[in-house]
Structure formats: structure tokens, C-alpha cells
Amino acid sequence: MKTLIQKAKIVNENTIFQGDVLIENDTIVRIGNTLSTENVDTVIDAEGKYLLPGVIDDQVHFREPGLTHKATIESESRAAIAGGVTSFIDQPNTVPNTVTQTLLEEKYQRAKEVSFANYSFSMGGTNDNLEEVLKTNPREVAAVKLFLGSSTGNMLVDNPETLEEIFAKVKMPICVHCEDETTIKKNTADYIEKYGDDIPVKFHHLIRSEEACYISSSKAVELAEKTGARLHIYHLSTAKETALFRNDVPLRDKKITAEVCVHHLWFTNEDYDTKGGLIKWNPAVKTQKDKDELWKALLDDRIDVIATDHAPHTMAEKQNPYTQCPSGAPLVQHSLLVMLETYRQGKISMEKIVEKMCHNPAILFNIEKRGFIKEGYKADLVLVDLEQEYTVNKDNIFYQCGWSPLEGEVFHSKVTHTFVNGHLAYENGNFSDERKGERLLFERE
């Protein structure tokens, strides 16, 4: 099966150039100008559109198993490809928690059956499963995930000896959620004493505070420096934390890396007044100053990756009082649109978006033959039209939960085509019924 994409503005490795891309089966076989259409099955005229590598989202919660009233691998991977996300790394705080090799492999088998996008799943660490963690195959699993702040079930790792042992012995990326539990519990108790369960959401960023984030992330960095661990800190949310990271070495040589999520680049605490619990995340959306400094660190390469922390809940759950309102929101369908909008606003270049959402996740996790538009690489590709207006509404939201914190937002770009392993999986609102997602593999010893 051969597909030719013609006259696209190709964005790859810090350059933009017009050209053609020839796909044969699941692989990019030729990149050039005016490539021949002879023996080609499908020709796509992409003149005026940008062709990007498929987005790799390194942090999602697709809720399967155990929380499928919120979302499933099938539903959320479908939403992902509609947003140009062709690969995802799912987190272990499902029910049951993914803390044994058996449970981990069951998730892979399920994704093989139903996922529209390429997939990987992180192995979860706890205070008492180091033996299981060390069985994780670095060739076939993205990372080990640790929650250093409260999470679902038994996934809070708060034993210092255990934590140091994990950091010292795990020889693959260790991804961490950093919030100090003691600080959060004290702050929560103080606000409950004043307001009861119905704490105004506008105080969320003061409960899950800058201090809570920095105490935890600085300890994680210190421990990684001590043990030599390969540490990746998820969803930075504060200005103070950005000082913990370096930009004086290439990403391939970094031992300690960081991610920012689109919601921390888009919203501030001022938005709690209108959005309420819909933008309640952990870590919390914080101040304009924090947002500005996160942008600065992203652009100067102290922050390496943009992701979503996609974490859907039902609308009914989100309407509960503060202490019963779960944190998290769906974003995987709209993350690229958010970043393209910031490009139109002059905040970031198209090349830098591709670097942070496509190239860098592939480099950081050593993903095999993805994340770039290169001959011999898998044909995970996205066409975007920067001249199409798109309003987020109930009719075009593909999340199972049926809502988005971006509802009513008018974007000025649109994902028109998404290829997954050479297969046209999404085109202008229409999905292929074939699920062509593959298990990600990693170039590690």
C-alpha cells in the first residue's frame, strides 16, 4: 500500500520546507520534491497545510481497567488521533493499580485489541513492590512511574529508604509526580476548618501550593543526582521549580528532565472563577507569574516536553463539592490545537512545538523510529490547516466523558489528517474502523 502526501510544509528538526512524503505500508520510504505518483494507491494534496510528526503524549490516564465509566483505551485513543496524537504513554493508577508484571501485560494486551494510537504503559512503583519493578523490560516498557504525592490506591511512595533503592536500581526512566503530601494535608485541613467540604476551588493552588511542589521536586532531583537515576519530572506547575533544571547540555545527555502540560501554559488561577472544578488538576493551575516562567523555561529548554496529563472524569463527578471533586480533565484531543493557537499568538515557533511534542518525547524515552519525519521511520504523521476556524463544542468532542475545559474556545487551526503506522486513521472528522496502533518499542540495552 503506497500513499503520497504532496506539497506539504514539512516541519522537522528545526526546519520547515515544502516537499512530498511517500509512505509504503507503515514506513516513510522517500522524502523529496515532485515525487512520482506512479504505482501510488492514494495521493493527498497537502498544499498550504503543515505536515508534522505524530504527537507523542508522554502522560495520559485512559482509565482502563477499573474506571471505564470515565473513559476507555478505545475511546480516548480515538480522541487522541483526532487531535494528532499518534502515540501515548499511559499511567499505572488504574484499578487495580499497575504494580505487577501480570497486570502490566494485561493492559498491553487490551490496547493491542482496541487502541487507535500507538501505546505504552508505565510500571507503577509502591513502597513494597521493588522486586516486581526490577522485572520490567526496558525494551518494551516506557518507564517506571512513582507518585510522590497522593494518588489512587496504594501508589504513594513515601518511604525514603524504598525511594532511594528504586532510584539506585532502576535503569530506565523514572517518571515522578512531585507534590509533598505532608504540606498538602496540612493546607487541606486548614481550609476544611474554615469552609468545610465546600472549599472554593479558587484556593486549590494555595492548598496544593508552590511549596508542596518544590519540596517534592527538589528532593527528587537531589536523589537523582545522588544515585545517578534517569529522572523525568511530570507536569511542572511553578516558577520556582524551573530553577532545578538545566539547558546547557543536549537532551540526549540529560539525566534529569522535565515536562509541562498544556493546561499550565494556558490557564491561570484567575480562571477558577469561571471554570471552577473543571480546571481542578494536581498539581494545580497556579498564577500568571508561574505561567510566564513555565513558558520561559520551555522556550530556553530547561523544560523538555509538552504533554497533557489527560485525566477524564464524568461531569457529575466534577460537580461535587471541592473535597469530593476529583482532579484532572480531558485534553488529548486538543493539546496540539492549544499549542498551534499559541504559535498564532507569537509565543512559540512551529519548529519548537514539534520539538517539544514529537521529537523530544521520542529522544527522552528512546522510542524506536518515531517522532521524526525521516526515511525508514514509522509513518506517524499529522496534517494541520492553520486557516480553519474550529470551536470546541459537545458535537465535536470525542472523549467518552463528553466535555472539555476548553468548550466554547475558538481555535484557528484544525487537524485534518492523522496517519498511524501509514494508515489514514482520521480524516476531517471521520475515523477508520481499523485500529492500527502498535506497542511502542525502546532503543535501550
Side-chain angles (χ1 to χ4, degrees):
M1 180 70 186
K2 290 185 179 180
T3 301
L4 181 63
I5 302 171
Q6 290 184 319
K7 301 176 185 175
K9 295 176 184 176
I10 300 169
V11 188
N12 190 64
E13 295 186 285
N14 207 34
T15 61
I16 301 176
F17 60 97
Q18 183 161 309
D20 303 345
V21 174
L22 179 63
I23 302 166
E24 186 170 343
N25 297 324
D26 64 352
T27 302
I28 298 168
V29 294
R30 186 105 186 267
I31 301 168
N33 287 302
T34 61
L35 297 184
S36 171
T37 59
E38 189 175 349
N39 298 321
V40 170
D41 300 283
T42 303
V43 177
I44 294 174
D45 180 3
E47 189 167 8
K49 295 179 181 177
Y50 288 81
L51 183 67
L52 320 180
V55 172
I56 301 171
D57 194 330
D58 80 347
Q59 187 192 181
V60 304
H61 303 264
F62 282 179
R63 302 304 191 196
E64 193 170 358
L67 299 165
T68 53
H69 67 286
K70 301 175 191 278
T72 66
I73 294 169
E74 182 174 16
S75 67
E76 306 314 282
S77 67
R78 189 171 177 267
I81 63 170
V85 176
T86 57
S87 299
F88 64 85
I89 300 173
D90 187 81
Q91 303 307 302
N93 55 331
T94 46
V95 180
N97 298 152
T98 314
V99 295
T100 70
Q101 294 299 320
T102 298
L103 291 168
L104 180 62
E105 194 55 37
E106 285 174 1
K107 289 176 79 170
Y108 278 105
Q109 290 306 312
R110 180 60 177 161
K112 184 179 180 180
E113 296 169 359
V114 301
S115 185
F116 286 90
N118 304 310
Y119 51 88
S120 192
F121 297 89
S122 290
M123 175 66 179
T126 72
N127 282 329
D128 51 20
N129 78 331
L130 180 60
E131 188 176 331
E132 280 291 300
V133 167
L134 293 177
K135 294 177 186 175
T136 307
N137 185 340
R139 167 74 172 152
E140 297 185 343
V141 179
V144 170
K145 171 69 179 288
L146 304 179
F147 288 88
L148 308 185
S150 59
S151 179
T152 307
N154 179 37
M155 295 208 67
L156 175 62
V157 183
D158 57 1
N159 182 309
E161 291 78 18
T162 300
L163 196 57
E164 182 162 345
E165 196 170 7
I166 293 171
F167 271 55
K169 291 185 176 179
V170 170
K171 302 305 179 187
M172 58 192 295
I174 299 171
C175 299
V176 292
H177 174 134
C178 288
E179 291 184 286
D180 181 64
E181 191 70 7
T182 302
T183 302
I184 292 166
K185 283 183 175 177
K186 179 186 180 303
N187 292 343
T188 303
D190 290 346
Y191 277 90
I192 287 175
E193 185 176 353
K194 189 171 182 180
Y195 293 100
D197 282 341
D198 203 9
I199 301 167
V201 180
K202 67 181 181 181
F203 296 122
H204 186 55
H205 74 293
L206 301 177
I207 294 171
R208 303 190 81 97
S209 61
E210 174 192 84
E211 179 189 20
C213 294
Y214 187 80
I215 288 171
S216 183
S217 54
S218 60
K219 283 181 180 177
V221 168
E222 183 180 357
L223 188 55
E225 289 173 340
K226 176 182 177 181
T227 59
R230 175 63 192 88
L231 176 67
H232 183 52
I233 297 186
Y234 278 151
H235 44 45
L236 291 192
S237 64
T238 72
K240 190 173 183 180
E241 288 172 288
T242 63
L244 295 168
F245 302 94
R246 303 174 57 175
N247 62 359
D248 58 343
V249 293
L251 177 58
R252 292 181 190 278
D253 298 329
K254 284 188 182 183
K255 295 280 283 184
I256 300 169
T257 53
E259 168 208 280
V260 67
C261 290
V262 290
H263 47 282
H264 291 123
L265 297 173
W266 188 258
F267 296 107
T268 73
N269 63 302
E270 298 296 324
D271 294 305
Y272 287 125
D273 288 341
T274 55
K275 298 287 186 179
L278 298 184
I279 62 165
K280 182 178 185 242
W281 276 283
N282 299 341
V285 167
K286 295 185 173 68
T287 67
Q288 184 65 48
K289 178 191 173 186
D290 291 305
K291 177 180 167 181
D292 291 343
E293 290 299 314
L294 290 169
W295 268 106
K296 184 177 177 182
L298 177 72
L299 296 174
D300 72 17
D301 296 335
R302 283 173 290 155
I303 294 176
D304 306 288
V305 169
I306 300 169
T308 64
D309 193 17
H310 174 89
H313 300 282
T314 67
M315 181 57 77
E317 290 169 330
K318 273 295 193 176
Q319 290 174 336
N320 284 330
Y322 178 87
T323 55
Q324 283 87 48
C325 174
S327 292
L331 278 172
V332 76
Q333 184 186 336
H334 300 105
S335 57
L336 180 56
L337 292 183
V338 168
M339 295 313 300
L340 291 174
E341 196 67 17
T342 65
Y343 160 74
R344 289 178 63 91
Q345 294 165 358
K347 290 184 178 179
I348 189 171
S349 70
M350 185 72 75
E351 297 95 320
K352 187 65 83 171
I353 290 172
V354 167
E355 176 188 307
K356 300 296 185 179
M357 300 186 83
C358 312
H359 300 340
N360 283 5
I363 294 169
L364 195 155
F365 288 95
N366 316 105
I367 301 172
E368 185 175 87
K369 292 187 176 179
R370 300 188 193 275
F372 294 83
I373 302 177
K374 288 184 179 181
E375 292 177 3
Y377 271 56
K378 293 282 191 174
D380 297 336
L381 300 166
V382 182
L383 273 173
V384 295
D385 187 338
L386 266 60
E387 304 302 327
Q388 281 201 52
E389 195 172 276
Y390 172 92
T391 302
V392 180
N393 59 52
K394 299 272 186 217
D395 293 335
N396 55 34
I397 291 170
F398 297 116
Y399 311 127
Q400 181 177 294
C401 66
W403 64 273
S404 165
L406 296 164
E407 274 178 67
E409 199 72 52
V410 179
F411 293 111
H412 298 87
S413 304
K414 193 173 183 181
V415 172
T416 62
H417 299 69
T418 303
F419 293 85
V420 179
N421 301 305
H423 170 66
L424 183 54
Y426 173 83
E427 180 179 6
N428 292 313
N430 299 306
F431 296 87
S432 166
D433 289 335
E434 295 181 72
R435 292 152 181 77
K436 294 290 189 177
E438 295 179 354
R439 183 172 185 158
L440 298 177
L441 295 175
F442 305 89
E443 294 178 325
R444 304 176 186 144
E445 296 178 359

